Amino acid sequence: MATVKVHDKYKWKWYQKFYFISITSGMLVTLKYFLKCAILRQQATVQYPEEQRGYSSRFRGRHRLKRDEKGRERCTACFCCMWVCPAKCIHIEAALVPPEKANLYPEDKYAKVFNVDHLRCIFCGLCEEACPKGAIYLDGDIPKPFDNRDDFLSTKDTMLDKEGGPIIGTRL
Ligand code: SF4
Ligand code: SF4
């Protein structure tokens, strides 16, 4: 029976001994920031929440649901945004539009429930791209920290543009 020399099998290869180059470059980065703080007195962080850093101009805001030029909700509950969402954080429940409210919606179906869980959302913008009606945009306010999980759930009431409000997002 062949004998396996365990210590040979796990012996370092010669090229693996160059690990110290990566460790040294990492330590130099740490040293650079240490010297910046210690000698140049450059702050590495800010006193949050009294001081706050600005967001990038490319940072997407929270979702908003749009109305059309007649004030009707653009969303027709087609579920495209819900299916495309990689984080599975959109929850929609569709309902038929009652005849007496037909003037409030462009089609015969509307989103009775439309929730977005901002604890799961990664702000990729795919829902905005997938929407065939130009109904959802990530142009709302910047999400703030909350101390309650429920506050991270945006409902239709909080996302839908107020009637007569500005119609932003004119992709259609
Ligand atoms: S931005 Fe991305 S992760 Fe967030 S709800 Fe839209 S598709 Fe989902
Ligand atoms: S927001 Fe757009 S994609 Fe999402 S359900 Fe409504 S119409 Fe469909």
Side-chain angles (χ1 to χ4, degrees):
M1 185 191 281
T3 311
V4 178
K5 286 187 181 173
V6 175
H7 64 281
D8 278 353
K9 188 177 169 188
Y10 292 105
K11 236 164 67 175
W12 284 64
K13 308 278 185 305
W14 65 269
Y15 55 83
Q16 288 177 318
K17 292 182 181 166
F18 289 102
Y19 69 91
F20 69 89
I21 296 176
S22 305
I23 290 188
T24 309
S25 60
M27 294 303 290
L28 284 175
V29 173
T30 308
L31 183 67
K32 183 177 91 178
Y33 284 102
F34 170 74
L35 292 175
K36 268 188 176 180
C37 294
I39 300 171
L40 301 177
R41 298 279 169 207
Q42 286 187 359
Q43 276 190 326
T45 185
V46 295
Q47 297 295 321
Y48 186 86
E50 289 78 20
E51 290 176 58
Q52 291 188 22
R53 286 193 173 130
Y55 284 88
S56 159
S57 57
R58 290 183 297 167
F59 193 90
R60 296 186 175 102
R62 283 213 269 191
H63 306 65
R64 282 174 58 185
L65 295 172
K66 305 294 173 186
R67 293 178 184 276
D68 65 13
E69 59 287 346
K70 294 182 182 165
R72 303 175 300 183
E73 293 179 20
R74 284 190 186 177
C75 177
T76 55
C78 69
F79 296 105
C80 283
C81 56
M82 191 170 109
W83 296 125
V84 83
C85 174
K88 303 286 172 238
C89 59
I90 300 179
H91 173 76
I92 300 170
E93 287 176 26
L96 285 176
V97 176
E100 66 276 12
K101 292 188 176 174
N103 60 327
L104 299 179
Y105 304 95
E107 292 179 17
D108 57 359
K109 197 159 62 101
Y110 77 108
K112 191 174 167 195
V113 177
F114 198 122
N115 295 339
V116 177
D117 184 351
H118 283 109
L119 283 178
R120 297 180 65 113
C121 177
I122 54 172
F123 295 91
C124 62
L126 280 179
C127 50
E128 185 182 300
E129 283 182 36
C131 180
K133 302 291 179 184
I136 188 165
Y137 282 82
L138 280 84
D139 61 0
D141 58 344
I142 302 284
K144 296 184 176 58
F146 296 113
D147 57 4
N148 182 345
R149 293 183 76 85
D150 292 343
D151 291 334
F152 286 95
L153 190 76
S154 287
T155 60
K156 184 176 161 181
D157 282 346
T158 59
M159 290 187 288
L160 185 63
D161 275 350
K162 300 283 167 277
E163 253 178 294
I167 297 167
I168 307 168
T170 49
R171 184 144 42 92
L172 288 185

